[in-house]
Amino acid sequence: MIEREELIKIGRFNKPHGVKGELSFTFTDDVFDRTDCPYIVCEIEGIFVPFFIEEYRFKNDTTALMKLEDVDDEESARAFSLLDVYFPKSYYRESDEEEAPGDYFIGFTVIDNEMGELGKITSVDDTTENVLFEVDHNGRELLIPAVDEFVNEIDEENRRLYMNIPEGLLDL
């Protein structure tokens, strides 16, 4: 079973395009074009389900038309309208991207040099210019700036993010 922590949100399906099952797909990351991963993932009734990509073509820098296997008509494609599209993190590592998107770190445990283990990253707030990791610290939400200067080490295998958070930042 695919878990949310194994995925990165890369965009959203819009509406069907034409009558042969193509979908308009607005993406924030074109990692599906840079790796050999043959599928994307959508959440259907609370379960993350893989769908194999038959073909795709770019319309512009943020939109593609995507055809999924066994989605062969407009009615079948309509079921995907407004669904978020996810990509497996394991394939993301294969891409030529130097920087992982913030969603990549969801599920990582944050460990501060001074305070020790703070908790897991539950979400990434990228709605403002300053991207923030939202960390569940014993039921309390901590907002930690996602900046390179605070990161000491990223342990991908054990899903740990070692940070040096400035004194007083967590007291706010």
Side-chain angles (χ1 to χ4, degrees):
M1 190 151 116
I2 301 172
E3 300 292 329
R4 169 68 181 101
E5 294 79 27
E6 300 170 17
L7 303 171
I8 301 168
K9 181 180 171 186
I10 62 166
R12 173 175 271 206
F13 282 127
N14 301 312
K15 60 182 181 171
H17 178 80
V19 295
K20 297 190 178 184
E22 272 190 320
L23 287 152
S24 175
F25 170 45
T26 302
F27 57 88
T28 55
D29 190 329
D30 67 352
V31 67
F32 61 92
D33 188 48
R34 299 189 316 265
T35 66
D36 291 331
C37 183
Y39 64 93
I40 50 89
V41 178
C42 293
E43 186 176 7
I44 308 288
E45 297 180 10
I47 298 172
F48 291 101
V49 181
F51 292 94
F52 287 88
I53 302 168
E54 195 170 292
E55 62 183 13
Y56 61 88
R57 64 184 193 272
F58 291 98
K59 283 179 68 174
N60 57 44
D61 289 347
T62 59
T63 307
L65 298 177
M66 186 173 283
K67 171 75 174 69
L68 302 176
E69 284 185 8
D70 299 322
V71 179
D72 298 320
D73 56 42
E74 184 179 4
E75 186 178 330
S76 298
R78 194 170 294 122
F80 290 87
S81 293
L82 303 179
L83 286 183
D84 289 334
V85 177
Y86 298 89
F87 195 79
K89 288 180 182 178
S90 59
Y91 281 92
Y92 196 94
R93 289 187 203 113
E94 291 178 9
S95 78
D96 59 3
E97 189 75 18
E98 285 186 25
E99 233 177 84
D103 276 4
Y104 179 83
F105 294 103
I106 292 175
F108 273 63
T109 299
V110 175
I111 300 168
D112 179 59
N113 286 355
E114 296 295 318
M115 297 184 67
E117 189 172 310
L118 297 176
K120 287 190 186 261
I121 297 173
T122 57
S123 183
V124 177
D125 181 355
D126 59 2
T127 58
T128 64
E129 192 172 324
N130 300 317
V131 177
L132 300 169
F133 291 135
E134 296 176 7
V135 177
D136 178 13
H137 178 68
N138 301 322
R140 179 177 158 230
E141 181 183 74
L142 298 176
L143 298 175
I144 301 172
V147 294
D148 291 340
E149 294 81 31
F150 295 173
V151 177
N152 291 336
E153 178 185 348
I154 301 169
D155 180 352
E156 292 182 66
E157 187 174 322
N158 296 308
R159 300 180 53 77
R160 294 178 170 272
L161 185 62
Y162 294 91
M163 301 184 79
N164 186 19
I165 301 167
E167 190 175 327
L169 187 67
L170 300 176
D171 298 334
L172 300 175

